Amino acid sequence: MDPLLLNRTALARKLRFSQLLVLEQVMQSRSILHAAQALNLTQPAVSKVVLELEAWFGEPLLVRSNRGVAPTEFGELIGRRAKTLLAELRAMTDELNAYKTGVLGHVIIGTLIAASSSLLPHAIARLKAQAPQVIVTLRVGQMDQLLPILATGDLDLVVGRIPDDQSWRASAQTVAAETLYRDELCVVAGRQHPQAKKKALGLHDLAGCPWILPTTDSSLRKTADRLFAQAGLPPPDNLVESMSVLTNLTLLSDFKTCAFMPRTIAMPFVESGMLSVLPVKGLDVFGDIGFFHRPSHSQGPAVELFKTCLREAVREVI
């Protein structure tokens, strides 16, 4: 008999999901003590689980120091696989709950700024109208932070702008993207901005204004820098770098400051009287908006329902 098959069988019999839960919490908190507190276990009980796993695998999983613990290279490998297994267990639980009592579950969504104030609220409202007991957890971050987390199963979906290039696939090879709509880019300012009543503007007309631009690690910042360069202008020297929509709205209320913003994000604030879209010509298309998911993994009915809500919410956004 194949010895590899014997090892797989023995592993399946020996490992328990409770052990993987403990290991995941230890790696997440980087502390035996903090993991024990989070799991409502004693510190010796958590240490025992880690030692049992290390004895079984025949390799150290953690490096211990006065500052806590850190995974070894082998421990990182086990930790990634543990996350995937636990994500599958959560999906199975959702399916069983849906079968027994209707649509229940927990949807964990990573979001980028391109969807956080327009597409997502409409989709969540649709989901809650159909399945009010589904818990929705949002985590805001940048693409290079969220996609690797999605790939390991710690997120169910990532909603936001889909980059034009395919470089994101390098860190998330099991992830696929579904495009929902294409957004435009615009320049916004406070309602009483002195340039708001003009019929046509160029970026050179706004060169003396204070500007809010995204941080340098965002794709929108690269687009903004390119637009200034194409207009023959240096980047603004009176500048605030911010990804916070609420902070940006407050700064824009001085009626002097300008900012780039995807049009679908800007329009609710324009309609409420908080912002104006300045008539700047020649701006790039912002890009495709959609969601990232793991098509090869079962994600449970709550996640599938939320995907449907995202597709339906597009009609309310564009």
Side-chain angles (χ1 to χ4, degrees):
M1 187 176 291
D2 185 353
L4 182 59
L5 180 59
L6 285 175
N7 287 339
R8 288 174 179 170
T9 303
L11 181 62
R13 290 175 176 173
K14 190 74 175 179
L15 276 181
R16 301 188 301 273
F17 275 108
S18 60
Q19 292 174 311
L20 298 181
L21 282 168
V22 170
L23 180 63
E24 182 190 37
Q25 186 61 51
V26 170
M27 290 189 173
Q28 180 177 327
S29 60
R30 295 294 198 265
S31 166
I32 298 289
L33 174 60
H34 292 161
Q37 293 171 340
L39 295 167
N40 198 26
L41 296 172
T42 65
Q43 191 171 347
V46 172
S47 296
K48 181 182 178 182
V49 169
V50 174
L51 291 173
E52 287 174 348
L53 290 172
E54 290 181 328
W56 171 248
F57 286 113
E59 294 277 352
L61 302 180
L62 301 172
V63 177
R64 296 156 177 84
S65 69
N66 293 333
R67 293 177 294 179
V69 297
T72 63
E73 185 176 355
F74 187 78
E76 287 278 10
L77 187 153
I78 299 298
R80 286 196 300 271
R81 292 299 182 182
K83 285 179 182 292
T84 300
L85 287 170
L86 292 171
E88 290 292 336
L89 178 63
R90 190 181 67 202
M92 183 181 72
T93 303
D94 285 351
E95 289 178 0
L96 293 174
N97 285 336
Y99 177 79
K100 290 182 176 182
T101 61
V103 178
L104 298 174
H106 187 186
V107 182
I108 306 176
I109 306 163
T111 178
L112 309 174
I113 190 172
S116 59
S117 64
S118 53
L119 178 62
L120 265 181
H122 286 95
I124 292 172
R126 283 179 168 272
L127 176 70
K128 285 296 184 177
Q130 299 176 61
Q133 295 185 66
V134 171
I135 299 171
V136 179
T137 299
L138 299 181
R139 296 180 182 172
V140 179
Q142 295 293 327
M143 181 74 68
D144 58 354
Q145 301 167 333
L146 297 176
L147 289 188
I149 301 174
L150 172 64
T152 62
D154 277 359
L155 294 174
D156 295 314
L157 300 171
V158 172
V159 182
R161 180 175 179 267
I162 301 173
D164 297 329
D165 60 35
Q166 298 294 308
S167 59
W168 57 271
R169 294 187 181 276
S171 61
Q173 297 181 6
T174 61
V175 169
E178 180 176 325
T179 298
L180 297 175
Y181 64 93
R182 172 154 281 206
D183 206 353
E184 299 176 356
L185 193 62
C186 62
V187 176
V188 296
R191 195 72 175 179
Q192 303 301 320
H193 193 280
Q195 301 281 25
K197 295 182 179 180
K198 298 289 182 65
K199 293 184 178 180
L201 294 171
L203 286 178
H204 62 276
D205 296 308
L206 305 172
C209 296
W211 276 84
I212 304 169
L213 294 181
T215 52
T216 55
D217 57 350
S218 72
S219 59
L220 181 52
R221 176 58 179 274
K222 295 179 178 64
T223 299
D225 289 343
R226 183 174 66 252
L227 289 170
F228 282 116
Q230 289 173 351
L233 298 170
D237 52 10
N238 188 349
L239 174 64
V240 173
E241 295 180 336
S242 168
M243 298 291 289
S244 168
V245 173
L246 291 177
T247 300
N248 295 353
L249 287 172
T250 301
L251 293 172
L252 289 165
S253 66
D254 66 358
F255 309 135
K256 299 176 184 177
T257 303
C258 302
F260 288 108
M261 194 174 285
R263 186 171 291 273
T264 55
I265 292 181
M267 290 315 297
F269 301 115
V270 172
E271 292 166 1
S272 68
M274 298 177 67
L275 296 179
S276 299
V277 173
L278 302 184
V280 178
K281 305 299 181 183
L283 298 182
D284 288 7
V285 171
F286 177 63
D288 291 331
I289 306 299
F291 63 85
F292 299 86
H293 61 121
R294 297 185 302 151
S296 61
H297 292 75
S298 173
Q299 294 187 291
V303 177
E304 293 302 325
L305 176 59
F306 190 71
K307 289 180 183 178
T308 300
C309 291
L310 283 168
R311 297 177 186 117
E312 294 173 347
V314 172
R315 296 194 295 268
E316 303 172 39
V317 172
I318 59 176

